Amino acid sequence: MAMPPLRLLQHIRTHCPPPSSPMLLRVRKPSFARSSVEGFISLMAKYTTGGSGSPKLLFRQLFEKDSSTYTYLLADVGHPDKPALLVDPVDKTVERDLTFVKELGLKLIYAMNTHVHADHVTGTALIKGMVPGVQSVISKASNARADLFVEHGDKIHFGNLFLEVRATPGHTLGCVTYVTGDGSDQPQPRMAFTGDALLIHGCGRTDFQGGSSDQLYNSVHSQIFTLPKDTLLYPAHDYKGFTVTTVEEELSHNPRLTKDKETFKNIMENLKLAYPKMIDVAVPANMVCGFQDAIKKPSEALAS
Amino acid sequence: MAMPPLRLLQHIRTHCPPPSSPMLLRVRKPSFARSSVEGFISLMAKYTTGGSGSPKLLFRQLFEKDSSTYTYLLADVGHPDKPALLVDPVDKTVERDLTFVKELGLKLIYAMNTHVHADHVTGTALIKGMVPGVQSVISKASNARADLFVEHGDKIHFGNLFLEVRATPGHTLGCVTYVTGDGSDQPQPRMAFTGDALLIHGCGRTDFQGGSSDQLYNSVHSQIFTLPKDTLLYPAHDYKGFTVTTVEEELSHNPRLTKDKETFKNIMENLKLAYPKMIDVAVPANMVCGFQDAIKKPSEALAS
């Protein structure tokens, strides 16, 4: 299902805006050259040094009904540039998101994913096509294509605020959780964008995309449950209309992850879930940054 | 479409739990005897005096997909009783809401509505049937049935926190906005639950239920736009996936209410909206606290 390199190159040439930085240009290479973390941090310097104004977080949770996906908008509106990022944008709601970003006078710099989603197509490619200079971000471990790759411990700066990257594999092998910074000038309580690693009173399935119930248990317990108890946890989805939870709430009420590891593994191995209906469409698209006509159409996928 | 008193009494006898307080008993009378605001405040005294622990707000925004309604849960978890209230509960999601309240160990004391909704049936009656002692709250100006009636300027205490009532008619004649308290021991920034008076970059229609575009303009400008600019505004609905806005954002970006009054009135009078499809079901039910079999069935309503 992977796209042949030549076809991918054609898509990149068709869809990408004119290069606004050497980083973007590198993504255009058919060799899939990827930016290093060093380059990433260096590029961010213009936002992290010399900025006037105290950091002030603008935060919005946005919902896409069909896939019950949450997209998160964060910006430092205390910074003159009002640099902003989107976590887990969805293709169907890109126009809404970008209209909103424009209305608020924000400068969108990153379109980030917590992982390679299997239930919707990321809005990353559309955003890059519509807003020159935006860079896509995903974990190095995902093996997906993006402008910038992050690893455990990296910091993603936007203005005088930052997100910390925590590797939380288990739903997929490349899942990360983005956590707002720890410090007196960073938002309190902290906020964590958990993707599908931890859902509200639940968690993502572990039977596809390099998933592992053993690994997910370790990830959540070591990287999310160790955050301060009042940390606000924002997942990539909720199907019942919940919008947020906390570490304290999940430590007490998560019906799966409050169990011991063997019980958890047993639960996850006996969920008997249906084959994910969007996986054959979404994963190939999301592996290449969400270029939608680089993938099978739904009818083709269903026929395969 | 109003229910005959005898039939209503039968419904109340069938659905209401055994009386847990004289206030509830009064509601059972076929004469629709209503509690006074004085009684309301007096009843709350047990929560507002002598409570140990600093107030600490637990806040959750909850979503009902079919009607795109937001329900809000607020509780003072710093108080030993953890008293809680629900704003704009929906019948379809009552089980979810009550399960959640129970899991968190909260004591639900109020099921409140911002107004008589026309697009969904309130969950109030179901909640009262399932949790003895919960009292329904609505504005006196709504002319709907409830245990407790509020007017502009009233304070609704839960533990050491409170909501202030602001009359914001215009979408309906009985709309109110509930605003978190003003004070050093109350949540900052303030939060306002605006119902349909102010939606995110929009507002409720003004062509039914005693609506008035002139009145709505005055309400929003005098009661909502005068709140501190960082006040978080939580509406009863959003249809595009937005979850919250602020006074500052609406002052700059509301496409209707940033206009002068005459332009606003002209916009509202030319919306050419369809007849509300749920109005003949929802309004009669909500006028009597959401007793669902006291109203026309959808097929009857459509035939009328």
Side-chain angles (χ1 to χ4, degrees):
Chain A
M1 291 178 287
M3 185 162 41
L6 183 60
R7 197 172 159 206
L8 176 60
L9 178 59
Q10 287 166 344
H11 280 286
I12 293 169
R13 284 187 174 142
T14 308
H15 290 87
C16 278
S20 61
S21 80
M23 307 283 291
L24 261 177
L25 190 63
R26 284 162 64 186
V27 177
R28 289 165 165 255
K29 290 182 185 173
S31 61
F32 305 102
R34 288 160 176 173
S35 312
S36 68
V37 171
E38 287 74 18
F40 185 20
I41 291 166
S42 160
L43 184 74
M44 293 305 301
K46 64 178 173 177
Y47 291 107
T48 55
T49 60
S52 62
S54 299
K56 186 182 170 194
L57 178 68
L58 178 141
F59 170 68
R60 290 291 187 276
Q61 182 173 29
L62 305 155
F63 187 59
E64 194 285 308
K65 262 190 178 184
D66 292 343
S67 60
S68 294
T69 300
Y70 287 120
T71 296
Y72 300 98
L73 172 68
L74 291 89
D76 180 0
V77 291
H79 189 283
D81 291 347
K82 297 187 179 177
L85 56 84
L86 284 165
V87 177
D88 289 335
V90 179
D91 59 348
K92 292 179 183 175
T93 39
V94 159
E95 195 174 328
R96 172 199 67 188
D97 298 347
L98 295 185
T99 301
F100 188 52
V101 163
K102 190 177 177 186
E103 274 185 358
L104 298 184
L106 308 177
K107 179 179 170 60
L108 188 65
I109 56 172
Y110 297 124
M112 304 165 57
N113 280 292
T114 52
H115 64 292
V116 173
H117 300 278
D119 56 352
H120 68 272
V121 175
T122 177
T124 306
L126 290 172
I127 291 170
K128 282 171 57 66
M130 295 166 80
V131 187
V134 172
Q135 296 192 292
S136 55
V137 180
I138 202 163
S139 75
K140 193 174 178 183
S142 71
N143 288 319
R145 191 165 70 80
D147 297 326
L148 303 165
F149 296 93
V150 288
E151 291 181 278
H152 186 86
D154 286 344
K155 289 180 179 177
I156 301 166
H157 293 268
F158 55 111
N160 293 308
L161 296 169
F162 67 91
L163 293 175
E164 176 192 321
V165 179
R166 294 190 173 206
T168 48
H171 168 62
T172 75
L173 80 173
C175 287
V176 295
T177 291
Y178 298 113
V179 190
T180 56
D182 189 15
S184 59
D185 60 344
Q186 300 296 309
Q188 285 298 327
R190 297 181 79 180
M191 305 158 80
F193 305 96
T194 59
D196 288 12
L198 184 72
L199 303 177
I200 298 171
H201 297 205
C203 65
R205 63 196 296 172
T206 54
D207 51 347
F208 285 97
Q209 298 177 268
S212 156
S213 57
D214 189 280
Q215 207 170 30
L216 181 59
Y217 192 89
N218 292 344
S219 292
V220 172
H221 277 266
S222 67
Q223 301 305 321
I224 299 175
F225 284 176
T226 51
L227 286 162
K229 284 187 177 178
D230 63 351
T231 304
L232 297 163
L233 303 179
Y234 289 100
H237 305 281
D238 191 84
Y239 306 96
K240 292 181 180 173
F242 291 100
T243 54
V244 68
T245 184
T246 63
V247 168
E248 184 173 26
E249 189 175 315
E250 294 306 316
L251 276 171
S252 301
H253 301 296
N254 191 296
R256 298 176 181 174
L257 285 151
T258 48
K259 304 286 192 297
D260 65 75
K261 192 198 277 189
E262 288 311 308
T263 306
F264 175 76
K265 286 167 66 174
N266 194 44
I267 291 170
M268 297 308 290
E269 279 153 27
N270 289 283
L271 290 178
K272 298 186 173 67
L273 298 172
Y275 186 76
K277 60 183 177 183
M278 276 288 286
I279 195 168
D280 294 329
V281 173
V283 169
N286 293 335
M287 287 298 286
V288 292
C289 193
F291 286 106
Q292 293 175 79
D293 53 354
I295 56 165
K296 288 184 183 182
K297 291 187 170 61
S299 56
E300 293 171 357
L302 289 170
S304 67
Chain B
M1 289 179 289
M3 185 161 42
L6 184 60
R7 195 171 161 208
L8 177 60
L9 178 59
Q10 288 166 344
H11 279 287
I12 293 169
R13 284 189 173 140
T14 307
H15 290 88
C16 279
S20 61
S21 80
M23 306 284 289
L24 260 177
L25 191 61
R26 282 161 66 184
V27 177
R28 289 165 165 257
K29 290 182 184 174
S31 62
F32 304 100
R34 288 161 177 171
S35 312
S36 68
V37 172
E38 288 74 20
F40 185 19
I41 291 165
S42 160
L43 183 74
M44 292 305 302
K46 65 178 174 177
Y47 292 107
T48 55
T49 59
S52 61
S54 299
K56 186 183 169 194
L57 178 68
L58 178 141
F59 170 68
R60 290 292 186 278
Q61 183 174 28
L62 304 155
F63 188 59
E64 195 283 310
K65 261 189 179 185
D66 292 343
S67 60
S68 295
T69 300
Y70 287 119
T71 296
Y72 300 98
L73 172 69
L74 290 88
D76 180 359
V77 293
H79 190 282
D81 291 347
K82 296 187 180 177
L85 56 84
L86 283 165
V87 176
D88 290 333
V90 179
D91 59 348
K92 291 179 183 176
T93 40
V94 158
E95 194 173 327
R96 172 199 67 188
D97 298 347
L98 294 184
T99 301
F100 188 52
V101 162
K102 190 177 177 186
E103 273 184 358
L104 298 184
L106 308 176
K107 179 179 171 61
L108 189 65
I109 56 172
Y110 296 125
M112 304 165 55
N113 279 291
T114 51
H115 64 293
V116 173
H117 300 277
D119 56 352
H120 68 272
V121 175
T122 176
T124 306
L126 289 173
I127 290 170
K128 282 172 57 66
M130 294 166 81
V131 188
V134 171
Q135 295 193 292
S136 54
V137 180
I138 202 163
S139 75
K140 191 173 178 181
S142 71
N143 288 319
R145 191 165 72 79
D147 298 325
L148 303 164
F149 295 93
V150 288
E151 292 181 277
H152 186 85
D154 286 344
K155 290 181 179 176
I156 301 166
H157 294 268
F158 55 111
N160 294 308
L161 296 169
F162 67 91
L163 293 175
E164 175 192 322
V165 178
R166 295 191 173 206
T168 48
H171 168 61
T172 76
L173 80 173
C175 287
V176 294
T177 291
Y178 299 114
V179 190
T180 56
D182 188 14
S184 59
D185 60 343
Q186 300 296 308
Q188 286 298 328
R190 297 181 78 179
M191 305 157 81
F193 305 96
T194 58
D196 287 13
L198 184 72
L199 303 178
I200 298 170
H201 297 205
C203 65
R205 62 196 295 171
T206 54
D207 50 348
F208 286 96
Q209 298 176 269
S212 156
S213 57
D214 189 280
Q215 208 170 32
L216 182 60
Y217 192 89
N218 293 344
S219 292
V220 172
H221 278 266
S222 68
Q223 301 304 322
I224 299 175
F225 284 176
T226 51
L227 287 162
K229 284 187 177 177
D230 63 352
T231 303
L232 297 163
L233 303 179
Y234 289 100
H237 304 281
D238 191 85
Y239 306 97
K240 292 181 180 173
F242 291 100
T243 54
V244 67
T245 183
T246 63
V247 168
E248 184 173 26
E249 189 175 315
E250 295 305 315
L251 278 170
S252 301
H253 301 297
N254 191 296
R256 298 176 181 173
L257 286 151
T258 48
K259 304 287 192 296
D260 64 75
K261 193 199 277 190
E262 287 311 308
T263 307
F264 175 75
K265 285 167 68 174
N266 193 45
I267 291 169
M268 297 308 289
E269 279 152 29
N270 290 284
L271 290 178
K272 297 186 175 67
L273 298 172
Y275 186 77
K277 60 182 177 181
M278 277 287 288
I279 195 168
D280 294 328
V281 173
V283 169
N286 293 334
M287 287 297 286
V288 292
C289 193
F291 285 107
Q292 293 175 77
D293 53 356
I295 56 165
K296 287 184 183 183
K297 291 188 170 61
S299 56
E300 292 171 356
L302 289 170
S304 66

